[in-house]
Amino acid sequence: MRAQPAPETPTPFAEDEDVDSLTIGRRIRQLRTERGMTLEELAGAVGRAPSQLSMIENGRREPKLTLLQAIARALGSTLDALLEAEPLDERSSLEIALERAMKGQTFQALGIAPFRIGKTVPDDALRALLALQGEIDRLKDERAATPEEARRANVALRRLMRTQNNYFPELEEQARDILTAVDHPGGPLTQRTASDIAAHLGFTLHYVPDLPQTTRSVADIRNGRLYLSSRLTAKGDPRTAVLQALSSRILGHREPTSYAEFLRQRVETNYLTGALLIPEAHAVPFLQDAKNDRAISIEDLRDAYSVSYETAAHRFTNLATVHLGIPVHFLKVHESGVITKAYENDDVNFPNDRLGSIEGQMCCRKWTSRVVFDVDDHFNPYYQYTDTGNGTYWCTARVEASSEGAHSVSVGVRFDDTKWFLGRDTPNRGVSKHSVEVCCRRAPADLEAAWRDNAWPNVRTPRTLLATLPTGSFPGVDTTDVYEFLEAHAPR
């Protein structure tokens, strides 16, 4: 069985397309020319002035349905044929594309007035103009793909997640359908079940030592093959790599046209992967029982489904508010103190920049996510109550290693909801006032007086702070490397 085509029902972020007047006009002109009719002859047949039909053929006027039906009859065609989305030939495609480009922002910004595309204009000239317009747009997008643009996309996406309590029923339904199709009985999802899901979607798994370095996996859609690295690290979960790759196919993702779309697709993929590893139907009763026993534990959720702590923490944020009535927050913090991931719907006051972005900000030194790095015991979870300007919060945190260094992963709730969790009896206390400058972002007065004029640090500037984001539909991926890889591995 081959991979399923993209579903007709939209994913949470899908868009629609319509046939426009330019395409309809070009179809009418093409059919008229093929039948050897002049503009005047067609106008006489439908009882309209030639100038009116010329406006319609050039896409400057949208015809009424009754006129379209009359034109179709005069041309010996059908209304459906006139409303086809695709133009009739390459020349029409080029003319339509250039007409649209001349109405767009790029031509207007350059001060190029729209002009009539005559029959004597060579096809190569039209292709050259379109190529130049495409390159200008690409360069403009590249300049726009700055860290600021990335932060804006992150903020917009986090607001959507907060609005829905980080719960997406469409993705939960997709996970249920897939697990039912492979007869998954519940509990931990095995590597064999992951392979069964691949087979259900029409893919065979191939582990290779030369997977392109900029990728986690590569799907050969034409041949139904999914390539993964045979060099998985000791901490790597082979199920996650398979499911993340398959999730994009399940969701019918198409090539992203912007960084914001790329980011949304990644969030959808990660969500669906978590929903497959920790199925809603089985995890919710597990968590409800734990709440009834006042013994909710991220570690228990992790162990019950044999996943990483971060996966369990993420999945808990999906289910906690909708099914348990518990608002939560989540933080992933690098050992340098920089926040790399964040989510909240419990009104916790995270640091943010003027755009509202949390990612990239320094986490408060007094917050659980930073304090946990100084704890010697990394075997047991660390718990802490923290007093803030918005009230008191309780958090549980762990430190995990990664290729980019150590990260802490923490989940927290408001004080009133602490009663449902293991670790609520912790004696650890902290006070965080990061909204006030003197809390973390400014040194104590005596230290500043002693060292402000006697210190000059050589800043280790993050590369992405000054550079644009990697260009391309899939940021950071060397597409030539990917295509050469697929060509080398494709079955002969």
Side-chain angles (χ1 to χ4, degrees):
M1 177 178 174
R2 295 298 306 274
Q4 297 297 317
E8 294 297 329
T9 53
T11 57
F13 308 106
E15 296 179 354
D16 296 325
E17 297 179 355
D18 295 312
V19 182
D20 61 14
S21 56
L22 272 174
T23 303
I24 295 173
R26 286 301 188 281
R27 281 195 166 276
I28 293 172
R29 177 186 294 176
Q30 192 69 26
L31 289 171
R32 177 177 61 78
T33 303
E34 286 179 357
R35 283 152 179 73
M37 295 181 69
T38 65
L39 190 65
E40 289 74 14
E41 289 173 340
L42 179 59
V46 298
R48 293 290 191 278
S51 59
Q52 184 178 356
L53 283 189
S54 178
M55 296 278 284
I56 291 173
E57 286 190 354
N58 290 321
R60 297 190 180 93
R61 176 175 297 177
E62 187 173 337
K64 293 182 179 180
L65 182 61
T66 53
L67 179 55
L68 272 180
Q69 291 171 329
I71 291 173
R73 285 194 297 270
L75 293 173
S77 184
T78 65
L79 181 62
D80 288 341
L82 295 184
L83 295 178
E84 285 286 340
E86 294 297 326
L88 288 172
D89 55 25
E90 183 184 9
R91 174 70 185 199
S92 296
S93 297
L94 292 171
E95 290 183 2
I96 289 172
L98 189 55
E99 288 269 10
R100 289 171 176 162
M102 287 191 290
K103 295 178 181 180
Q105 294 181 351
T106 300
F107 271 70
Q108 293 176 6
L110 294 173
I112 301 176
F115 55 87
R116 181 178 176 274
I117 305 173
K119 296 180 179 178
T120 58
V121 180
D123 290 0
D124 287 343
L126 300 184
R127 293 190 188 96
L129 287 170
L130 289 169
L132 287 172
Q133 186 257 351
E135 181 63 11
I136 291 171
D137 285 347
R138 187 191 71 79
L139 291 172
K140 185 169 64 175
D141 290 342
E142 180 176 331
R143 295 190 184 101
T146 60
E148 179 174 333
E149 186 67 19
R151 291 198 298 272
R152 290 184 188 277
N154 264 309
V155 170
L157 186 55
R158 194 174 65 251
R159 285 173 179 164
L160 173 64
M161 294 163 68
R162 192 180 194 278
T163 300
Q164 299 193 190
N165 292 316
N166 205 20
Y167 179 82
F168 291 89
E170 304 92 340
L171 302 181
E172 299 287 353
E173 183 177 356
Q174 293 269 22
R176 283 195 298 272
D177 291 345
I178 291 294
L179 293 174
T180 299
V182 297
D183 296 323
H184 178 54
L189 187 142
T190 64
Q191 179 68 16
R192 176 177 295 180
T193 304
S195 299
D196 290 342
I197 293 175
H200 173 71
L201 296 171
F203 284 91
T204 55
L205 304 183
H206 301 264
Y207 292 89
V208 295
D210 59 339
L211 192 75
Q213 291 186 353
T214 56
T215 66
R216 295 177 180 175
S217 64
V218 176
D220 179 348
I221 300 172
R222 182 175 62 193
N223 296 301
R225 290 182 161 209
L226 179 60
Y227 295 101
L228 302 112
S229 176
S230 60
R231 299 174 177 173
L232 292 174
T233 63
K235 290 185 175 293
D237 186 338
R239 300 171 304 167
T240 300
V242 173
L243 294 176
Q244 285 179 335
L246 295 175
S247 291
S248 292
R249 308 315 312 154
I250 295 170
L251 294 168
H253 283 161
R254 295 171 173 84
E255 185 174 311
T257 58
S258 66
Y259 181 77
E261 185 177 0
F262 166 77
L263 185 63
R264 290 195 297 268
Q265 288 185 0
R266 190 177 67 173
V267 168
E268 287 184 343
T269 296
N270 289 338
Y271 190 110
L272 183 55
T273 298
L276 291 169
L277 288 169
I278 306 178
E280 179 182 32
H282 307 98
V284 169
F286 176 88
L287 290 171
Q288 289 173 336
D289 288 343
K291 182 183 179 184
N292 292 336
D293 295 338
R294 298 180 179 245
I296 297 176
S297 167
I298 306 300
E299 282 76 13
D300 289 350
L301 185 63
R302 173 200 63 187
D303 296 341
Y305 293 92
S306 300
V307 295
S308 69
Y309 185 84
E310 183 176 350
T311 297
H314 266 301
R315 191 65 176 134
F316 182 75
T317 68
N318 300 149
L319 305 174
T321 305
V322 171
H323 291 292
L324 305 178
I326 303 175
V328 295
H329 66 261
F330 169 93
L331 267 184
K332 184 176 181 180
V333 177
H334 187 257
E335 58 187 338
S336 64
V338 175
I339 298 173
T340 58
K341 292 182 182 179
Y343 166 76
E344 60 82 20
N345 68 346
D346 59 358
D347 297 321
V348 67
N349 187 13
F350 286 146
N352 56 71
D353 62 15
R354 63 182 181 82
L355 300 176
S357 177
I358 298 172
E359 292 82 4
Q361 298 300 298
M362 291 297 292
C363 182
C364 177
R365 298 167 64 91
K366 309 296 179 63
W367 198 254
T368 312
S369 304
R370 291 285 300 276
V371 176
V372 69
F373 285 109
D374 298 324
V375 176
D376 293 331
D377 181 6
H378 285 181
F379 182 78
N380 294 300
Y382 176 74
Y383 308 110
Q384 177 179 305
Y385 288 96
T386 308
D387 296 327
T388 75
N390 284 0
T392 299
Y393 290 83
W394 173 91
C395 298
T396 175
R398 271 193 177 276
V399 174
E400 293 190 327
S402 73
S403 58
E404 293 83 25
H407 284 82
S408 69
V409 175
S410 61
V411 173
V413 297
R414 293 184 295 217
F415 179 83
D416 290 346
D417 290 315
T418 307
K419 59 180 176 287
W420 310 117
F421 291 81
L422 292 178
R424 59 185 176 273
D425 55 350
T426 179
N428 300 319
R429 296 290 189 276
V431 177
S432 173
K433 298 179 180 178
H434 61 256
S435 57
V436 181
E437 187 179 11
V438 295
C439 173
C440 290
R441 285 174 270 184
R442 188 169 182 176
D446 54 342
L447 282 176
E448 184 169 6
W451 291 104
R452 186 181 180 104
D453 297 329
N454 296 295
W456 189 268
N458 185 14
V459 179
R460 185 177 180 180
T461 307
R463 179 180 60 84
T464 55
L465 184 64
L466 301 179
T468 59
L469 292 167
T471 58
S473 299
F474 301 94
V477 172
D478 186 333
T479 52
T480 301
D481 195 16
V482 171
Y483 298 154
E484 288 178 347
F485 167 84
L486 287 173
E487 184 66 22
H489 284 273
R492 302 302 179 190

